[in-house]
Amino acid sequence: MIQNPSLPLLLQMKNIRKNFGATLALDEVDFDLKKGEVHALIGENGAGKSTLVKILSGALRADKGKMSLENVSYSPSSPLDGRRRGVSMIYQELNLAPHLTVEENIMLGKELHSWGFLRQREIREKVREALEFVHHPEISLDIPVGKLSIGARQVVEIARALMSRASVLIMDEPTSSLSQEDSDLLFQIIRRLKEQGVSIIYISHFLEEVQEIADRFTVLRDGKTVGSGEMKNVSLEELIQMMVGQKVDEMFPRIEHEVGDLLLSLDKLKGKKMHAEVNLSLHRGEVVGLAGLIGAGRTELMRTIFGLDAVVNGSVKVASVSTPIGSPWLRIRQGMGYLSEDRQGEGLALSCSLADNLTLSHFNPYSRFGFLGLKKRREAIQGWIQRMKIKARDSDQAVLSLSGGNQQKVALARLLHQEADILLLDEPTRGIDVASKSQIYEWIGQLASLGKTILFVSSYFPELLGICDRIAIFHRGRLVDIRDYSDWTAQNMMAAATTGRVV
Amino acid sequence: CGEKEDGDMQQERGRRLLIAVIPKGTTHEFWKSIHAGAVKASRELGVEVIWKGPQKEDDRAQQIIVVEDFINRGVDGIVLAPLDDRALCRPVQDAVRESIPVVIIDSGLQGEDYVSFVATDNYKGGVLAAKKMEELLGGKGKIFLIRYQEGSASTTKRENGFLDTLTAEFPNISLLVQDQHTGATTESAFQLAENLLGRFPEVDGIFCPNESSTFGVLRALQESRLAGIVKFVGFDSSPKLVQALQQGHIHALVLQNPLKMGYLGVKQIVYHLRGHEIETLIDTGVYLATRENMDDPDIKALLEPDFSSYLDR
Amino acid sequence: MIKKNIPGLQIREKTRIQHLISWLAPFLGLILVLVIFSLMPEVQDRFLRISNFKSVATQSVIVALGALGMTLIIISGGIDLSAASNIALSSVIVAFAINAGIPPVFAVLCGVLTGGFVGFVNGSLITSLRLVPFIVTLGMLGIARGIAKWTAGNQKIDAPLSWVNELMARHPSPSWLLMAPGVWLMILLAVVMAVVLRYTVFGRHVFAIGSNEATARLCGIRTNRTKIIVYSVSGLFCGLSGVMQFSRLTVGDPTVAIGLELDIIAAVVIGGGSLRGGEGSILGSMIGVFIMAFLRNGSTMMGWPNYIQEIIIGAIIIVAVGLDQLRHRRE
Amino acid sequence: MIKKNIPGLQIREKTRIQHLISWLAPFLGLILVLVIFSLMPEVQDRFLRISNFKSVATQSVIVALGALGMTLIIISGGIDLSAASNIALSSVIVAFAINAGIPPVFAVLCGVLTGGFVGFVNGSLITSLRLVPFIVTLGMLGIARGIAKWTAGNQKIDAPLSWVNELMARHPSPSWLLMAPGVWLMILLAVVMAVVLRYTVFGRHVFAIGSNEATARLCGIRTNRTKIIVYSVSGLFCGLSGVMQFSRLTVGDPTVAIGLELDIIAAVVIGGGSLRGGEGSILGSMIGVFIMAFLRNGSTMMGWPNYIQEIIIGAIIIVAVGLDQLRHRRE
Ligand SMILES: Nc1ncnc2c1ncn2[C@@H]1O[C@H](COP(=O)(O)OP(=O)(O)OP(=O)(O)O)[C@@H](O)[C@H]1O
Ligand SMILES: Nc1ncnc2c1ncn2[C@@H]1O[C@H](COP(=O)(O)OP(=O)(O)OP(=O)(O)O)[C@@H](O)[C@H]1O
Ligand SMILES: [Mg+2]
Ligand SMILES: [Mg+2]
């Protein structure tokens, strides 16, 4: 990678401090950014990365500390203020107005107009260009964003950020729902921007990605800066060590498990929004991965299985019992559990407490005649908080105020707490830090060894290859092929996902 | 012109005369009596009556809409108890323009677009109440004047009649409260009176200008165990009020003659339509009912008008 | 050709009839109401007359003007319970001003600006104290109504007749106008607002704020400023509605329009507005206004007792919106 | 001790005074109102008397019972505009039943069940037609009111006195009761509802549905069933409130409680309920009820003209909720 240590300093943040009520999120953090560099910001879930960059973008205000941009003091009072100074950001929690169309969202806040009237034609032209720039010209301009899949929304979000000619571009986990292909495309874009002198702050939990793209890094831990430097001077292990404070032994621990009887079988299943019938059978103690590109239709399959979308054709058999109408209520009673990829829109009741969210699908252990044993539950929750390393004040904290990764952990913990036999996991590791990820992989292995069935959707091929027994590839709503994991490589998976043909 | 020609005209059109009677509201006992009177007249005269008030009680704007809608329906005549002496002028003009004559009942209307006016003298009702109050209190005391709703013309006249008489003739009677309005419902009158009695338990007399406020205040007096002790003059009647009058909880009720008002209203318009000469102004009178005279047949007929034969219930 | 790229988005081409149906669809509820009354033998000939349509149009002006502003507010995710009080206040102010000898033009201006001012105060309180609109406008409901009664001295204000009262005359004075000037003004403003919502930056921002306020802020929209404008504009509409109310009543009545806020909100919601924000349209709201107006008109003409009318109107509101919902679900 | 396990979470401990303050905080608005009137020389002695508190308590029962149900609905993300009509309908039904010679116990039961039935219909329509609660309950507002007027023949229904009328007597007959039985019932039910919301599975489900209905469904909650229960329970509360209304008035009055739905909703919102769902508490709603009741009581006692009252009540609602908001922001 080209690097120039003598690049001029563009931005400086000094002694930044931020409290959320009783929680200290940032404690005297220093950060600086050079012109034309890609600077990775890494750290565990809840380390304070998002908070730091939100202060930079103007979405939050620091309690204390100084910032300067191009040697002029900088303290944005609003995101608009920040953008005027050339700071633009892709937020971790997708920030789109669901009722507005793709076009409207991309242009939001920067509409071209004459005397307040929109210049429709130019706007559409620009938006089309933007979508082409991110290699997704197929996304329709007039579809309300609320109807898009999460992956597609992330693309829209990226397109929007690229629209504004910023000198500092902040990306908070931009690839968390993107496929390998789209991530690679994004990297190309980043490189191009860098050449144009744009500075980029890049937050991600995919450390290989970070190593590939970043020039320098800063590591945060518990709201403090614990290290920074040139990316080329550190190894992956050292980075992890800095982040977590300990070593992570193995990324994809394979735990021995045996494949048992047939548990879930999909027979010519087609849901309301699905485009093709799917046949699939899953056995006890089996981890099956589903791979595909954005909008490949994996989420729709899962939703149909779980009874969230109506079945038009075919059947879902659980332990060879077929039920005519599936509803989540019924599925849960059949021992199924579903983790939604849309944690903010669907996965979590944000204004409810951590404890409620975690136990919502399974109150039985704490309830007697409909009354909840709150104390008993609190104790149990504490166990989960520790096991999942959820960083939270206490079990009554609203999920809303947790960091993105910690929210994901709560959603995942709910599924584990539910003690389901069949786990439908849609992008379960989205936004989760490295150490916790490997922990989660280990659990999945353990669950399989206990005879549970896991259907694992992911856009990150290495994790599929790392933990699944079998992997199915989806292409445009169609199941292309399903094979043993050892028959797949990252290359032929990609080929199958993009072309729909297996080589 | 004679009855005969009239009959021909009706036969020609192939239907009976259709008269719209538009009260200010439909849910007070008072309007029920008017309705009964109108039905009585319609039976005697062989015409058809549509009874229809504004959908929200006492809403001027809504009453205008009702008048307009009946103009569009093409009724033959309208009997109207206008909620406002001014606001209803234009709809009445519109009716006249479309050759639909209008008779005004209960409250006045400015201008001369109507053919007859049949009403109670509300101001006189207030005067009557004031005089009775003075008599009950023996010339001095502290009283409440509890008002009905803001902007209600007929009750304001009663309140004014009461107030004017009091200030002009009875200087020894002082008003503890005189600008509190009960609002439209019984419950709001009840609460208002409860709160006022909490503040001024020393009150000697109360006057209320209509049925709903009288009943609400009565309930408050009963709850505060002041009923019968505080001299209470109300307006209009209903079974509960009559009962209270009997028990001595109410000392006097000012009464109007709504049955007659409704009857005459319809009769006037029909006579006009049939080409008779009619009087342009009829006063249906105000009366005072007390425990002593409540069994007089005349008063009894006003207190407990028997309209079971005209209305379903 | 772009569509072909997406497997999931094969959009079926509509036939011409389907086009017609989908164009008519928003009018479904209204058509239903019109058909019901046209089938009633007692009123059918009278109900479908132009003169009746004219009076329904005139009767709707007040609610319609209120609904134009309310649509804006509801799209932005807010609500305005003070609308009806604001209408009453403005109508009283106009009467007061005319009575005080101010030329009618300025009196009208006073009325409209009073409405705008009340809206502005609503908007400012909502944004500066960060209170929910429900509370602020509930408070304002009482405050505006109280001030109206105060100004009017608890009575209606009689004002001398002037051209202002011609604004809502059912028989307008230059007879080539055909309908009251107020009706034309309402139509004009509805078109203006529809254009504003669809074709201006401001309109987009209003939708964005209602859809996701946090996003709007993060995208650099000055949400507070926009919201203040929304409430002020809506206030101006209430002010104008108050002028029309005065014009119709010929008096300034502080007790007018009590409870009308529910009618106004209902019209917007019937027309597809969502109280969660981000959804709504001017056309829809206007249809909502007319559904309610024709329902009232038809039932009055039928001479149904009020309670029957209440029951039927209640039922038809549910049915009309239910039909609309069914249609949406089908799509 | 658990907290210490989590690195990076430095949590400041509260002092005892801060604890006291944060415990008192929800009462801030109410205390403000009480203090204001206690400082008024004209009424302070009368205002602070026990007998006055008793009558305010009795006056509040009707709104409070409505608010208990409404809290449930608002937490679940809905709204019930038909509450007031439902109260009127139930009160008419009780009077009707007693008049028809049915023993008072059963008459009361009829009233309560009528309320419950109306709620059930609301809930069923909302879930089966997937209509927004605003529309369904707006329709029901008219329907229930219409049926009430119909049943009562547009009049008050006089019913013979019975023990039912003692429920709301300010001087209860066994005098050791101190307050009207209705007040005790209200307190009891408030406690029950608070427990239900906090300590039962049902309560958690209601919160979850209001916070995010999709999540609730995904977690296997039968949202439709729960919502129907919510509306039915709320209907039962309205029914009971109607019984109390009848008890107070001694007649069944179909026009009673017009517009009361706004008061009820306001009480819940003042008490921290959010119309977006997922937030609200029984304690808060009860405080909201009492803030409004004391405001009315105090201003009437002061003898302020109604318009001043309206203005002041409006202003205090905004201020009280504004203070609460400030407190929240500080935390
Ligand atoms: N609005 C808020 N209210 C209260 N606490 C908050 C809020 N936002 C963040 N926090 C807390 O601040 C801390 C830092 O959160 P932040 O979102 O910055 O973490 P992060 O490094 O971005 O983590 P992740 O990798 O999970 O996204 C967390 O402990 C979180 O709970
Ligand atoms: N480019 C697009 N334009 C419009 N709609 C799209 C697009 N991509 C996906 N969708 C929508 O998403 C649906 C399929 O998404 P689904 O969520 O099932 O896919 P997925 O495989 O889970 O992909 P993702 O990684 O995006 O979650 C399509 O039917 C379509 O409605
Ligand atoms: Mg983050
Ligand atoms: Mg997906």
Side-chain angles (χ1 to χ4, degrees), chain D residues 89-90 94 176 266 313 325:
Chain D
L89 175 60
S90 309
V94 179
W176 50 261
I313 292 181
Q325 180 66 27

Side-chain angles (χ1 to χ4, degrees), chain B residues 52 72-73 85-86 90, chain C residues 55 156 159 165 301 309:
Chain B
K52 178 90 192 169
N72 289 335
R73 166 85 188 259
D85 59 349
R86 215 8 229 291
R90 195 155 61 190
Chain C
S55 28
K156 53 158 186 161
N165 301 106
M301 280 192 149
Q309 188 177 329

Side-chain angles (χ1 to χ4, degrees), chain A residues 138-139 148-149 151 275 293-300 341, chain C residues 9:
Chain A
E138 84 283 4
I139 294 179
L148 289 182
S149 74
H275 304 297
L293 302 182
I294 286 180
R298 296 160 294 169
T299 300
E300 287 171 355
E341 64 176 339
Chain C
L9 288 180

Side-chain angles (χ1 to χ4, degrees), chain A residues 50 92 172-173 404:
Chain A
S50 300
Q92 178 178 19
D172 195 352
E173 302 194 27

Side-chain angles (χ1 to χ4, degrees), chain B residues 238-273:
Chain B
S238 75
K240 283 273 171 184
L241 296 186
V242 174
Q243 197 186 338
L245 190 65
Q246 192 134 37
Q247 290 170 335
H249 290 176
I250 294 178
H251 299 85
L253 282 173
V254 182
L255 299 180
Q256 318 175 58
N257 197 344
L259 202 79
K260 186 169 164 198
M261 208 185 279
Y263 177 79
L264 285 179
V266 173
K267 191 166 159 187
Q268 295 285 69
I269 195 96
V270 173
Y271 273 32
H272 174 82
L273 286 168

